[in-house]
Amino acid sequence: MGKDIFDSLSDNKMSRRSFIKWSSAVTAPVVIGGTVQGTRMLSQVSAEEPSENLDEQILTTCSTVNCGGRCLIKAHINDGVVTRLTTDTKEDTFELPQLRACIRGRGYRQFVYHPDRLKYPMKRVGKRGEGKFEKISWEEAIDYIAKELTRITQKYGPASRYSNYASGHSGSIIGAGNMIQKILGLTGGYLGYHNSYSSAQTSNATPFTYGTTQTGSTLNTLSDSKLIILWGHNPVETRFGVTDYYVRKAKEAGVKIVVIDPRQSDTAVALADEWIPIAPTTDNAMMDAMTYVIISEKLYDKNFVDKYCVGFDEEHMPEGVPEGESLVSYIMGEKDGVAKTPEWASKICRVPADTIRKLAREFATNKPSALLQGWGPQRQAYGEQFVRGGTVLAAITGNVGVRGGWASGAGYVSLVKTTAVPKGDNPLGGLTIPCFLWTDAVVRGTEMGAKDGVKGLPEGQETLPTNIKAMFNLAGNTLINQHSDCNRTAEILEDESLLELIVVSDIFMTPSAKFADILLPSNSFMERWDIGTTWAPSQQAILSQKCIDNLFETKSDYEWLTMLAQKLGVEKEFTEGKNELDWVMWSIEESRKVDPNFPTFDEFKKKGIYQVSLEDKTVIAFEEQIKDPENHKFETPSGKIEIFSKALWDMNELDEIPAIPKYVSSWEGPEDPLIEKYPLQLIGWHYKRRCHSTFDNNKWLEEAGPQVMWMNKEDARTRNIKDGDKVKVFNERGEIHMPVKLTNRIIPGTVAIPQGAWWSPDKNGIDQRGNINTLTSQRPSALAKGNPQHTNLVEVEKA
Ligand SMILES: Nc1nc2c(c(=O)[nH]1)N[C@H]1C(S)=C(S)[C@@H](COP(=O)(O)OP(=O)(O)OC[C@H]3O[C@@H](n4cnc5c(=O)[nH]c(N)nc54)[C@H](O)[C@@H]3O)O[C@H]1N2
Ligand SMILES: Nc1nc2c(c(=O)[nH]1)N[C@H]1C(S)=C(S)[C@@H](COP(=O)(O)OP(=O)(O)OC[C@H]3O[C@@H](n4cnc5c(=O)[nH]c(N)nc54)[C@H](O)[C@@H]3O)O[C@H]1N2
Ligand code: SF4
Ligand SMILES: [Mo]
């Protein structure tokens, strides 16, 4: 990252004259609304010195990045330029927590006013991925896309058109992905996707136990627990709405907090009474052993399992299943002769047997207790087992449906409801692939069917009618950076006989942007309207107000998609006569129909935020099913909590997709023979200095959280590696060179690289920045076909 405008201004090394000269050399100033936006913007940005003699206006807004949080931002605007940011200063109350910005949010001006912003539309001139482009006009860009799209559709049909999973514009009203799908739907159809990169395994597995993913209670109930287990959950860094706040409140109320994670995460440091390090991919061995203790010491809730559950013991099994398949039979080793004792588990997961025993007893006897699952351990090859394993521990201890307990699993619950712009129908119906398998659908789509997780194939059609040929990657970096196996992905993208059109829109020249045929400069959240809502339990909505005009020649995705719709003859159907502000107003009115307390547009503008107090909105997942089972069945086939799932049994892939949750020894786990060659397990995590890959180019944040790999001192000693050394991390898929931090905050045998760094291969293809996806695999998880990006074996040497 070169020296930028903020340095130059703060150390006063650049005179205003040379500054303007410089800025107009790299930007082509464009006259918008009578002012030269580019130059004016750059000449007035100083973090330390707000301009004088100007009337300051303060507008509230929020970002629409996919960071796990949603915070109130106050933009101080002087003469059309945001000169300062402040944030929520309202006092915290237990029912209404403050929504103050994190370090990333404090640096938003470095995002909006970054000198590297994409400034005008561009067309590729070099080879795919080389990053060579020429400037074109918006009209030329739209013409090209329309022409190519029409040609590709005529040749391959509408199922060749795909919009990639992308979370960079995660406003609640107008996502870029939905809007391109609306246009594609209006012009013949498209191949859709299901799942997400976030929680494919959890979303697919949870319903097999409970019939739904809505298994979350409101977070205020955590203070009524006696014990909280955060299993692979790091809300101090990942936010999950305001989870970290409520866990802190529970701690202050005296609740014991245990974190189970291969790393001593920031949550473990800040909130835990006990950190239990565990080997990645082996959580179910520990869960099985906890279940063993709970069963063998008769600590389970017998009344609860008899009344509400299917599959606990042989007396409560569904029809048509042979003997010996219940949870008790498996745990006691009645069929395989292996009792799942703490000693058995300890050899696999490396948690001492006594620690497992103690936690099992504490969890089962200190009721109510809450087991909250993060999504890190489900982003694994057999992550579905982890998810269902948590739900079973919650159920056998009777912690479901009670205040202070927690049903585990996905944990979704939604309080504030907003209505998104309808994206209309897809003439191809529900034809979708798992989003993680898009590279496969480019290479071998016509071989992919139900076994690959394809849904919605018409009667009589076994596979997709075509490979993907036209790719829209709008507001995302999963075209390469955030997808697995960057080297394989790059090969696929470089081959122009595969994808014939790649359209990318972004704010910056990201690794994905470099692979575009047409690269479009998006505006940022401060330049347009939307509404942001917090994650589950979504308790808050914030008006994402437009604060400034579009910088340079940028447009919002909605603005240029409107141009594309016009070119394709569907503008009226696309916009329905509305611009973004109209849609936001429309959505507010829709929300007010269901929730009369939802503010009017004017009220919303004044306050910026709508926050539902939990006082009268407390939700306890499955409370009705437990209190009144006669009238409230679970939405599963049996109407009960399915510890044993007949639906999974009937799939008949029991080794990888068992009917009760079990430890499944993972490929590239500690029991894979490949460990001889690559002896270290590698995981990633969602880092405080970035939102995925977003903000990787903000060097203020690099100071707060450098891109370094964590390694245990023991593993370093045998490899003669010192703290701060540059190391080479490699497997069959690729190689990274990056600095290492030696720490006891990670279990020996495992290394961890924070996910999201911009993939930066040198001429030999060696990544020099530390993008973990250089090393991750495209093999999907067994049931969900989700991304197993924490399942990797590697070796590390001094570089
Ligand atoms: N700062 C920040 N916050 C974010 C995001 C971000 O990029 N940056 N992204 C947001 C998004 S979109 C999402 S989906 C969520 C992601 O939320 P999560 O998926 O929950 O986050 P991760 O950091 O991937 O994983 C959580 C923890 O799991 C641990 N872990 C990894 N593998 C294993 C395992 O096998 N077993 C156990 N027990 N633990 C394991 C990791 O060390 C980590 O501390 O975060 C959201 N919040
Ligand atoms: N190894 C590994 N890989 C992972 C994960 C992991 O844990 N480990 N986590 C996965 C998860 S949970 C997720 S959600 C994905 C996230 O992957 P992505 O959805 O790709 O998220 P980002 O990397 O934040 O990329 C968002 C992009 O949008 C751009 N952007 C921001 N605002 C706007 C806008 O208004 N308009 C436009 N057009 N562009 C904008 C940003 O500059 C950025 O390049 O990554 C996944 N990849
Ligand atoms: S990055 Fe997320 S958590 Fe941080 S201030 Fe922005 S919305 Fe809040
Ligand atoms: Mo995510």
Side-chain angles (χ1 to χ4, degrees):
M1 270 165 271
K3 198 164 175 63
D4 76 15
I5 217 70
F6 293 93
D7 285 335
S8 309
L9 272 170
S10 53
D11 60 17
N12 275 329
K13 284 202 184 112
M14 194 189 269
S15 71
R16 188 180 144 78
R17 176 184 283 268
S18 64
F19 187 12
I20 290 178
K21 218 166 109 201
W22 174 84
S23 64
S24 49
V26 292
T27 68
V30 185
V31 178
I32 305 167
T35 54
V36 183
Q37 288 286 316
T39 309
R40 194 171 60 116
M41 173 277 284
L42 286 168
S43 66
Q44 294 196 3
V45 182
S46 162
E48 287 77 25
E49 305 161 38
S51 318
E52 285 167 22
N53 304 326
L54 295 169
D55 291 331
E56 183 171 87
Q57 186 193 15
I58 301 176
L59 289 179
T60 57
T61 189
C62 74
S63 85
T64 53
V65 297
N66 186 22
C67 65
R70 200 54 79 223
C71 309
L72 188 74
I73 301 295
K74 296 175 183 167
H76 297 241
I77 301 163
N78 284 291
D79 195 24
V81 176
V82 179
T83 49
R84 195 157 74 96
L85 296 178
T86 53
T87 181
D88 197 6
T89 48
K90 180 192 87 64
E91 290 270 312
D92 267 330
T93 65
F94 186 68
E95 305 297 339
L96 296 171
Q98 189 188 64
L99 289 186
R100 69 178 170 280
C102 74
I103 49 164
R104 303 180 295 281
R106 307 270 173 170
Y108 280 154
R109 286 192 330 116
Q110 276 65 13
F111 179 68
V112 174
Y113 290 124
H114 198 294
D116 297 344
R117 280 275 303 258
L118 292 178
K119 300 176 182 75
Y120 38 74
M122 287 184 273
K123 187 172 171 204
R124 173 168 68 87
V125 288
K127 285 206 235 103
R128 277 250 184 89
E130 250 184 348
K132 288 192 187 144
F133 294 94
E134 67 180 13
K135 179 175 187 245
I136 55 172
S137 68
W138 275 104
E139 287 66 28
E140 285 168 314
I142 299 296
D143 269 357
Y144 184 90
I145 297 168
K147 219 172 78 231
E148 276 301 282
L149 197 58
T150 308
R151 179 187 69 75
I152 290 169
T153 313
Q154 275 164 4
K155 190 160 173 200
Y156 302 102
S160 65
R161 315 189 306 174
Y162 187 71
S163 161
N164 213 13
Y165 172 92
S167 71
H169 180 181
S170 287
S172 301
I173 311 301
I174 316 164
N178 277 357
M179 291 302 94
I180 180 66
Q181 286 185 338
K182 185 169 186 180
I183 292 183
L184 296 176
L186 287 167
T187 55
Y190 59 93
L191 177 65
Y193 64 76
H194 56 268
N195 290 352
S196 66
Y197 279 70
S198 309
S199 55
Q201 289 85 331
T202 204
S203 296
N204 281 271
T206 306
F208 282 99
T209 307
Y210 291 123
T212 174
T213 52
Q214 301 294 307
T215 67
S217 304
T218 45
L219 296 163
N220 54 339
T221 61
L222 290 177
S223 288
D224 298 305
S225 299
K226 295 227 172 66
L227 167 71
I228 296 174
I229 300 178
L230 298 173
W231 204 316
H233 199 7
N234 181 20
V236 166
E237 269 185 278
T238 59
R239 303 295 279 246
F240 274 63
V242 282
T243 301
D244 60 334
Y245 172 78
Y246 281 106
V247 175
R248 185 168 292 115
K249 286 285 147 191
K251 187 182 172 65
E252 285 167 17
V255 182
K256 179 175 177 180
I257 294 163
V258 177
V259 168
I260 306 175
D261 197 308
R263 298 181 312 116
Q264 188 182 24
S265 63
D266 285 8
T267 303
V269 171
L271 298 177
D273 295 283
E274 186 179 358
W275 166 48
I276 301 179
I278 190 166
T281 74
T282 69
D283 298 278
N284 284 83
M286 175 158 173
M287 288 175 162
D288 287 353
M290 284 174 70
T291 309
Y292 176 89
V293 174
I294 291 168
I295 292 173
S296 60
E297 300 185 6
K298 300 210 167 20
L299 303 176
Y300 60 95
D301 188 332
K302 181 157 179 12
N303 179 44
F304 189 95
V305 289
D306 285 351
K307 194 164 168 191
Y308 301 106
C309 303
V310 168
F312 176 72
D313 53 24
E314 295 298 321
E315 278 74 65
H316 298 88
M317 287 295 282
E319 295 276 299
V321 179
E323 259 181 44
E325 298 297 339
S326 67
L327 182 71
V328 170
S329 299
Y330 162 70
I331 293 292
M332 293 303 161
E334 277 159 26
K335 241 174 83 180
D336 62 5
V338 182
K340 310 304 175 300
T341 61
E343 285 69 21
W344 164 83
S346 183
K347 287 198 195 93
I348 300 167
C349 68
R350 312 229 312 284
V351 179
D354 284 344
T355 307
I356 300 175
R357 212 170 259 119
K358 183 167 146 269
L359 186 67
R361 290 175 187 150
E362 283 179 21
F363 183 65
T365 56
N366 284 304
K367 283 189 359 189
S369 46
L371 194 178
L372 272 68
Q373 301 184 295
W375 298 342
Q378 59 93 57
R379 218 169 285 113
Q380 296 281 14
Y382 298 98
E384 297 90 355
Q385 300 313 312
F386 166 74
V387 177
R388 290 198 72 233
T391 63
V392 165
L393 277 170
I396 65 172
T397 51
N399 275 305
V400 179
V402 293
R403 193 178 176 114
W406 197 265
S408 225
Y412 305 150
V413 48
S414 150
L415 298 181
V416 171
K417 294 191 174 67
T418 46
T419 313
V421 179
K423 71 172 178 183
D425 292 332
N426 180 0
L428 302 186
L431 186 66
T432 59
I433 55 168
C435 63
F436 181 59
L437 292 189
W438 70 267
T439 25
D440 279 36
V442 170
V443 179
R444 54 168 200 100
T446 54
E447 295 164 15
M448 287 169 70
K451 280 256 174 239
D452 304 284
V454 176
K455 291 185 184 170
L457 283 165
E459 277 279 312
Q461 203 176 304
E462 299 276 296
T463 56
L464 292 174
T466 166
N467 296 347
I468 299 174
K469 289 290 173 183
M471 166 64 91
F472 289 86
N473 187 83
L474 313 183
N477 211 350
T478 50
L479 191 65
I480 188 149
N481 212 74
Q482 297 304 108
H483 188 53
S484 284
D485 198 346
C486 294
N487 288 312
R488 176 176 191 247
T489 309
E491 260 174 46
I492 292 170
L493 295 174
E494 277 159 12
D495 185 343
E496 291 174 35
S497 73
L498 293 172
L499 287 174
E500 297 186 9
L501 172 68
I502 302 180
V503 179
V504 173
S505 83
D506 207 293
I507 313 257
F508 296 111
M509 185 63 83
T510 63
S512 293
K514 287 189 180 157
F515 284 92
D517 297 326
I518 296 289
L519 177 53
L520 302 173
S522 172
N523 67 7
S524 74
F525 66 90
M526 286 207 190
E527 296 150 68
R528 59 163 188 255
W529 292 93
D530 207 324
I531 294 176
T533 41
T534 42
W535 279 25
S538 61
Q539 196 186 334
Q540 296 90 4
I542 305 178
L543 184 62
S544 181
Q545 287 202 66
K546 177 179 160 90
C547 301
I548 52 172
D549 289 332
N550 285 349
L551 296 174
F552 309 104
E553 286 181 48
T554 65
K555 286 186 193 296
S556 72
D557 287 303
Y558 187 78
E559 285 167 340
W560 71 259
L561 285 168
T562 302
M563 292 172 72
L564 180 64
Q566 187 185 33
K567 190 95 217 161
L568 296 171
V570 293
E571 185 192 357
K572 248 173 73 201
E573 298 88 331
F574 176 67
T575 65
E576 301 174 45
K578 296 186 182 66
N579 64 22
E580 285 155 305
L581 177 57
D582 298 328
W583 279 120
V584 165
M585 290 178 163
W586 168 86
S587 174
I588 289 171
E589 286 316 308
E590 292 297 304
S591 297
R592 285 174 53 76
K593 286 181 197 159
V594 260
D595 176 4
N597 293 326
F598 202 96
T600 62
F601 178 71
D602 289 339
E603 289 163 355
F604 212 4
K605 242 177 104 62
K606 221 178 274 160
K607 279 193 154 167
I609 187 164
Y610 171 53
Q611 178 147 229
V612 173
S613 166
L614 296 181
E615 204 160 356
D616 39 63
K617 289 275 185 185
T618 297
V619 174
I620 296 163
F622 308 120
E623 193 177 23
E624 287 178 330
Q625 283 86 339
I626 300 307
K627 277 194 177 144
D628 180 13
E630 288 312 310
N631 297 308
H632 299 278
K633 303 247 175 274
F634 284 88
E635 293 167 45
T636 52
S638 65
K640 296 193 168 190
I641 298 173
E642 299 200 347
I643 293 173
F644 180 99
S645 162
K646 181 76 172 24
L648 292 177
W649 175 265
D650 290 340
M651 279 183 196
N652 203 17
E653 293 177 51
L654 298 168
D655 288 346
E656 291 196 288
I657 311 177
I660 51 167
K662 296 182 174 167
Y663 169 63
V664 177
S665 182
S666 179
W667 50 266
E668 298 203 29
E671 298 184 296
D672 185 333
L674 190 66
I675 202 150
E676 297 292 318
K677 190 166 177 199
Y678 299 112
L680 294 165
Q681 288 187 268
L682 166 69
I683 57 168
W685 83 94
H686 289 235
Y687 201 16
K688 62 190 159 218
R689 59 91 71 236
R690 275 188 298 266
C691 166
H692 308 291
S693 67
T694 307
F695 312 131
D696 195 44
N697 58 346
N698 179 341
K699 60 187 166 56
W700 284 14
L701 290 170
E702 188 68 10
E703 279 178 36
Q707 184 66 15
V708 292
M709 182 180 82
W710 288 19
M711 182 181 223
N712 190 281
K713 292 176 184 167
E714 244 177 62
D715 294 320
R717 199 176 316 118
T718 53
R719 291 173 174 79
N720 197 22
I721 290 170
K722 306 256 168 331
D723 189 42
D725 275 355
K726 199 168 193 193
V727 291
K728 164 177 162 184
V729 195
F730 60 100
N731 61 17
E732 301 294 322
R733 293 179 288 266
E735 183 172 329
I736 300 175
H737 289 183
M738 69 185 296
V740 68
K741 160 175 145 158
L742 303 189
T743 172
N744 290 332
R745 286 179 63 184
I746 187 162
I747 189 170
T750 297
V751 288
I753 297 176
Q755 67 102 14
W758 283 11
W759 184 58
S760 310
D762 65 10
K763 60 180 190 322
N764 300 316
I766 297 168
D767 173 49
Q768 299 290 334
R769 171 74 182 132
N771 182 321
I772 185 174
N773 286 322
T774 313
L775 304 167
T776 55
S777 165
Q778 290 187 1
R779 178 171 168 181
S781 72
L783 172 67
K785 311 294 171 204
N787 40 329
Q789 284 164 311
H790 295 323
T791 309
N792 314 285
L793 289 177
V794 297
E795 176 57 303
V796 178
E797 291 168 5
K798 226 174 137 152

